[in-house]
Amino acid sequence: MSKVAVVYWSGTGNTAAMAQAVSDGATGSGAEVNIIPAGQFTKDDVSAYDAIAFGCPAMGAEQLEESEFEPMYESVKSALSGKKIGLFGSYGWGDGEWMRLWEADAKATGANLVTDSVLANNAPDDEAISSCKNLGALLA
């Protein structure tokens, strides 16, 4: 049984809903899953998981949330080489630039992105929830 961490930050609840769907997909595929708020995940935690899903909405000028999520991500990314990961998040405007930049950064760490990132415009619709479940299944 694989062990998957779903690490996220959510301001409005949209990314939290996506995190739950990722968890449901991984659990449904037989993984043991822990959903962890970004502020509680550390570099030392990375090695305890076979795969990690990271979720963060677009903030400001299409960037990662700056007070909790981005510092956590910056602190763990040196440990992500070879790790199966997935990225997801919501946005309210723009065109997803924050996700494209984040994907490029994650690939530069040597992490193995298991599929295209999942984006939701505001609250995740049925298609986004289904894509999140698929992401979880791929991480399991």
Side-chain angles (χ1 to χ4, degrees), residues 18-127:
M18 296 175 79
Q20 185 59 56
V22 171
S23 174
D24 292 347
T27 301
S29 293
E32 176 186 335
V33 180
N34 291 321
I35 300 177
I36 306 166
Q40 296 175 17
F41 192 75
T42 69
K43 183 178 180 179
D44 293 338
D45 296 324
V46 171
S47 63
Y49 294 94
D50 300 302
I52 304 169
F54 290 105
C56 185
M59 302 293 288
E62 292 218 49
Q63 61 199 41
L64 296 173
E65 189 278 327
E66 296 178 297
S67 65
E68 280 186 50
F69 192 90
E70 186 174 31
M72 175 279 304
Y73 179 73
E74 289 296 322
S75 74
V76 304
K77 72 181 189 178
S78 65
L80 297 178
S81 182
K83 185 72 66 176
K84 286 184 359 178
I85 70 167
L87 305 178
F88 64 94
S90 62
Y91 65 101
W93 61 275
D95 67 355
E97 178 184 14
W98 105 102
M99 188 61 75
R100 290 190 300 277
L101 294 172
W102 189 12
E103 285 176 342
D105 187 69
K107 288 176 184 174
T109 71
N112 173 21
L113 271 69
V114 297
T115 189
D116 292 340
S117 300
V118 180
L119 286 80
N121 189 345
N122 295 306
D125 60 13
D126 290 345
E127 182 179 342

Side-chain angles (χ1 to χ4, degrees), residues 21 118 125-135:
V118 180
D125 60 13
D126 290 345
E127 182 179 342
I129 292 295
S130 177
S131 294
C132 285
K133 288 179 180 179
N134 183 57
L135 171 60

